[in-house]
Amino acid sequence: MRKDIFAVPIFEFEVDLKFINIPVKDEDFRPTWESRVHSSFVASRNAKIPKPTLHYLSQKILECLRTLKDPVTKISLDGIWKNKYDVNDFQGYHTHSNTTWSFIIYEDVEEGKTQFINPSMSDIQNHSPLGRSDDMPLVYMPKLKSGWMILFPSWLPHQVLSGNSGTTISGNITCYVD
């Protein structure tokens, strides 16, 4: 009997962008991180996200998280920001610390370039006869486009490859249980 152990749940789903309003001014975008991607990350700490947007996102996220065994009863959206990509922009390997789940909404990109890295990559490379495994992939690159969202555990390593043009909306989520 086959069993897959240590699975990492993620969710990919379509969102209605007309319900998502992240007010960002041009001056809120600054070169950020080592890649210097223009982002409103710093300004997001003081951003006033409209309640209908927070409600819509919370409902979509809770709908997913409630399918898991962990009893999430409430969430808080702890920062939502935009990233503006030109074709040569990228983001290096990273995780989102001090939070539970994270998300990316592909606002107006033709195809997302986010690549998720298997947390066991070095062990798989060291112990697989080929240095890789078709059964235990080293990376996952979703084929998502404008109007789609990916929700993933914040500890899951990821990066953004170059070749993207447009904006994404990212955010972090803290989960609570009663």
Side-chain angles (χ1 to χ4, degrees), residues 12 111-116 139-144 161:
E12 297 174 354
E111 181 180 76
K113 299 292 183 185
T114 310
Q115 184 181 61
F116 292 88
V139 297
Y140 172 67
M141 194 150 172
K143 302 285 186 211
L144 301 178
L161 304 178

Side-chain angles (χ1 to χ4, degrees), residues 97-158:
S97 33
N98 301 316
T99 189
T100 316
W101 285 80
S102 298
F103 65 85
I104 303 165
I105 299 170
Y106 299 92
E107 186 175 36
D108 62 5
V109 296
E110 287 184 29
E111 181 180 76
K113 299 292 183 185
T114 310
Q115 184 181 61
F116 292 88
I117 293 97
N118 189 325
S120 300
M121 180 171 68
S122 62
D123 293 324
I124 294 167
Q125 287 177 318
N126 285 334
H127 300 284
S128 287
L130 301 172
R132 61 170 181 75
S133 170
D134 292 331
D135 295 306
M136 295 167 276
L138 301 178
V139 297
Y140 172 67
M141 194 150 172
K143 302 285 186 211
L144 301 178
K145 56 186 178 181
S146 179
W148 281 77
M149 178 173 171
I150 187 162
L151 175 65
F152 56 94
S154 298
W155 53 261
L156 187 60
H158 58 286

Side-chain angles (χ1 to χ4, degrees), residues 59 111 158 169 172:
Q59 292 306 311
E111 181 180 76
H158 58 286
I169 300 167
N172 292 322

